[in-house]
Amino acid sequence: MSMRADSGEGIPAGTREVARAAFPKGCLAMRLRDSLGPLFSDEEFAEAFGVRGRPGVAPGRLALVSILQFTENLTDRQAAHAVRARIDVKYLLGLELTDPGFDHTVLTGFRDRLLAHGLEEKILDLLLGRLASEGLVAPGGRQRTDATHVLAAVRSLNRLEFIGEALRAAMEALAVAAPDWMRTAMDPVWQERYGTRVDAYRLPTDEQERRGLARQIAADGYRLLEAVVAPAAPAWLREIPAVTVLRTVWLQQFSRTVTDGVEEVAWRGKDDLPPGRMLITSPYDPEARYSKKRGSAWVGYKIHLSESCDDPGEVHRPHLITHVETTDATVNDAMVVETVHDRLTSRGLLPAEHLLDAGYTSAELLLTAPIARGVSVIGPVRSNNTRQAAQKNGFGKTAFTINWQAEHAICPSGATSRYWTAGVDNNGRDAIRIRFATSTCAPCPVRDQCTRSTQYGRQLTVRPQEQDALLERVRAEQSTDEWKDRYAARAGVEGTIHQAVAAAGVRRTRYIGLAKTHLAHVLTAAAINLIRLDAWWNGTPLADTRTSRLAALELAA
């Protein structure tokens, strides 16, 4: 399919007249067209379309329809119907009233072309570039970032259901790709066992019976994989995605041993499973991951939203989303900050002040961001959670004198540490472990106030000198009213997350896979920006933080 360029001649007179009569006060779609014009040019997407073949729908219009789809949380069919039937949408796109629109599958093809050519960020880049030229968003100033969880578009499965569905999915794929081979390679009993979804019948509740069923599924899976890699089987069968997933799942979930000529297959123990960032949790979305945070567990992804939040008293601009990052559910928030800053730099929208919560901040980031990026990161650091600090009893780190040059510490009793080991902590950050000898601590009369260990001496874990000093300073600052007032603006990003969930349905992804989910999030960010621009043009004030009636009551002490 080749690209058919939009004529760019503006809005047809008939469409303009009818739309003005139908919407005398205007509406979101009409105000967007009046204020920003066509917004996207077809040439910006030329690399995703060929130069030969039957002309397709203008990609600039498809990009605008894709954003409009997320402003109203429409399906592809509903978005295509809106183009065909709604006057305001025809006004936005500059179409004649008699224009028949296009089939809904065109939107799917457009998204696939964006993904295939690495243009996922293109729509948001172009929108922000246009808004920057209008002075509606600018570098410097203040921005804030926060994340929320996104549920994958798959069912949550327990472990037994998961392995059964992984095997069934592979069989279904092989039955479609190579039906003749499947007829000869498949055990006839498999059709009865795996012909329907695993949850279509009652699974055993007894633990021994469940393990027996798991061994049966595992044995059938191994037999199928051996048949696929047999010399007589077509080599391309091994490349079928569902078969690749099955092979990976069986490696992760089962151990296979041979004892005295007898093969034994068993579920791996929890301690023998791969880490969560590698563990497949659904055969239908292999990139979705299981994660748990503050008591909430989910299978899917995370979305990180960054938005401008300049004080209205300082500059008159709307709060707009400047970047959206999508990761799998296991990625630590702190790992995305560099990526966010890189992307904001490439867009020319790097802030002077970046508000982050404790999940993103670290001593290393607070120290390096102002130097390397010119960005002042404002966010709380984790408090000292050692037993002594939590109970406010005993000797905490501040009770020790650290000699950074001599690389030792002196305890409150005057003893000197023996070991000084520089390395990294569990999160891969620089850390120094200082340990006192057992012989030093064992006879100490105040040992109980220092350590509970009966085998080893006291151990301290500290950051490198500059980071350690910065941590202590920030911990002292974040308890002051001045710091709290400065940081209070970060809370506004919670409203952005709520808007993304309520308006665009971002809590559950529509698509399978990280790349498609991220594209949906980019379109969501662009849609929210247009919604906010419309509210800003209309003078709609920002909503106040909701307070429940009960919380608002002034109760007598």
Side-chain angles (χ1 to χ4, degrees):
M1 180 180 292
S2 63
M3 184 181 72
R4 180 178 65 192
D6 186 0
S7 64
E9 294 179 355
I11 305 167
T15 302
R16 180 184 298 274
E17 183 179 354
V18 173
R20 291 297 182 191
F23 300 94
K25 295 183 179 180
C27 62
L28 183 146
M30 295 172 63
R31 280 188 288 269
L32 288 177
R33 179 70 186 215
D34 293 339
S35 300
L36 299 177
L39 199 58
F40 301 112
S41 67
D42 297 326
E43 289 72 19
E44 299 286 356
F45 303 93
E47 61 185 286
F49 291 82
V51 296
R52 302 178 62 184
R54 182 168 58 88
V57 181
R61 284 176 174 163
L62 291 177
L64 202 50
V65 172
S66 297
I67 298 177
L68 185 67
Q69 178 180 1
F70 281 83
T71 63
E72 301 180 17
N73 200 13
L74 303 177
T75 64
D76 286 352
R77 287 182 184 273
Q78 290 170 333
H81 180 73
V83 174
R84 184 166 51 251
R86 284 173 46 179
I87 299 171
D88 60 326
V89 178
K90 290 184 183 293
Y91 186 98
L92 173 65
L93 301 178
L95 298 176
E96 295 282 356
L97 293 175
T98 55
D99 192 291
F102 50 80
D103 189 78
H104 70 277
T105 57
V106 172
L107 290 171
T108 303
F110 176 67
R111 291 193 298 269
D112 289 343
R113 287 178 179 273
L114 293 180
L115 292 170
H117 292 82
L119 301 177
E120 299 95 327
E121 303 279 347
K122 191 72 172 181
I123 292 176
L124 187 58
D125 285 343
L126 293 173
L127 176 61
L128 290 173
R130 178 61 183 280
L131 298 181
S133 67
E134 298 286 336
L136 297 173
V137 64
R142 186 171 61 187
Q143 292 187 31
R144 54 196 176 199
T145 299
D146 203 0
T148 189
H149 63 279
V150 178
L151 306 179
V154 294
R155 294 176 59 252
S156 295
L157 304 170
N158 63 41
R159 200 173 178 186
L160 186 57
E161 291 172 336
F162 168 54
I163 61 173
E165 279 299 298
L167 179 55
R168 193 181 74 85
M171 290 183 177
E172 287 284 335
L174 288 167
V176 173
D180 294 335
W181 177 87
M182 196 63 176
R183 289 189 188 95
T184 59
M186 184 179 75
D187 189 328
V189 75
W190 290 355
Q191 193 169 38
E192 180 180 352
R193 286 179 186 165
Y194 308 109
T196 58
R197 282 182 9 184
V198 173
D199 63 347
Y201 52 87
R202 188 182 297 276
L203 295 174
T205 57
D206 181 75
E207 182 62 23
Q208 293 302 319
E209 292 180 1
R210 292 174 69 87
R211 290 188 175 276
L213 179 57
R215 286 192 292 270
Q216 179 65 66
I217 295 173
D220 292 342
Y222 281 123
R223 286 180 59 191
L224 180 63
L225 290 172
E226 289 168 356
V228 167
V229 300
W236 55 268
L237 293 181
R238 308 170 192 177
E239 307 302 323
I240 295 176
V243 175
T244 303
V245 170
L246 179 66
R247 185 185 301 116
T248 305
V249 168
W250 255 234
L251 285 172
Q252 292 180 349
Q253 295 290 333
F254 297 107
S255 61
R256 196 181 190 190
T257 58
V258 178
T259 305
D260 298 331
V262 179
E263 182 181 88
E264 294 183 2
V265 176
W267 254 337
R268 294 187 185 274
K270 290 185 177 181
D271 295 337
D272 198 25
L273 291 173
R277 65 180 181 277
M278 300 174 60
L279 190 64
I280 295 177
T281 56
S282 171
Y284 304 110
D285 190 349
E287 293 180 301
R289 293 291 181 266
Y290 171 85
S291 186
K292 187 175 183 179
K293 184 176 182 179
R294 290 194 290 269
S296 297
W298 76 99
V299 172
Y301 306 94
K302 276 202 282 191
I303 178 174
H304 304 260
L305 292 169
S306 301
E307 67 170 354
S308 59
C309 59
D310 292 323
D311 191 333
E314 299 175 358
V315 62
H316 191 50
R317 282 196 293 259
H319 294 173
L320 299 175
I321 296 177
T322 55
H323 181 64
V324 57
E325 188 73 22
T326 307
T327 66
D328 72 63
T330 63
V331 173
N332 190 292
D333 291 350
M335 304 302 292
V336 307
V337 178
E338 282 295 316
T339 304
V340 172
H341 285 170
D342 286 341
R343 196 62 188 163
L344 291 174
T345 300
S346 68
R347 287 179 174 142
L349 295 176
L350 193 68
E353 188 172 277
H354 199 175
L355 304 176
L356 301 168
D357 68 15
Y360 293 93
T361 56
S362 66
E364 182 180 8
L365 177 65
L366 295 174
L367 186 65
T368 60
I371 299 173
R373 303 278 188 178
V375 178
S376 177
V377 174
I378 308 299
V381 297
R382 290 181 174 86
S383 58
N384 189 343
N385 57 3
T386 60
R387 173 178 62 88
Q388 293 84 357
Q391 297 179 358
K392 297 182 179 180
N393 183 25
F395 300 127
K397 192 193 77 172
T398 56
F400 291 76
T401 302
I402 300 176
N403 189 322
W404 299 96
Q405 287 69 37
E407 296 187 345
H408 67 245
I410 300 175
C411 77
S413 297
T416 302
S417 64
R418 177 177 295 182
Y419 306 100
W420 180 286
T421 307
V424 295
D425 61 11
N426 294 333
N427 295 319
R429 296 169 179 161
D430 292 337
I432 299 171
R433 289 175 174 84
I434 306 170
R435 189 159 64 87
F436 289 78
T438 305
S439 58
T440 300
C441 294
C444 181
V446 291
R447 176 188 178 90
D448 291 342
Q449 298 183 52
C450 200
T451 179
R452 291 178 176 176
S453 175
T454 58
Q455 297 181 350
Y456 304 101
R458 174 65 185 270
Q459 177 175 298
L460 300 174
T461 301
V462 298
R463 300 291 177 195
Q465 184 175 6
E466 289 185 343
Q467 296 184 24
D468 187 76
L470 180 64
L471 276 176
E472 296 302 326
R473 178 172 63 81
V474 174
R475 280 172 180 157
E477 287 179 351
Q478 65 191 32
S479 61
T480 64
D481 291 338
E482 181 182 358
W483 188 94
K484 291 177 181 178
D485 291 341
R486 188 180 181 191
Y487 181 66
R490 191 216 65 88
V493 75
E494 304 289 351
T496 301
I497 291 175
H498 171 74
Q499 187 176 19
V501 172
V506 79
R507 178 67 73 219
R508 179 181 291 275
T509 178
R510 309 175 176 209
Y511 309 113
I512 298 296
L514 181 61
K516 289 185 178 181
T517 298
H518 177 59
L519 177 56
H521 290 167
V522 170
L523 294 171
T524 297
I528 291 175
N529 281 347
L530 295 188
I531 293 172
R532 291 186 169 187
L533 281 172
D534 185 57
W536 188 70
W537 288 325
N538 287 328
T540 304
L542 296 176
D544 294 329
T545 301
R546 179 183 178 276
T547 303
S548 69
R549 302 284 186 178
L550 180 61
L553 289 177
E554 296 183 2
L555 301 180

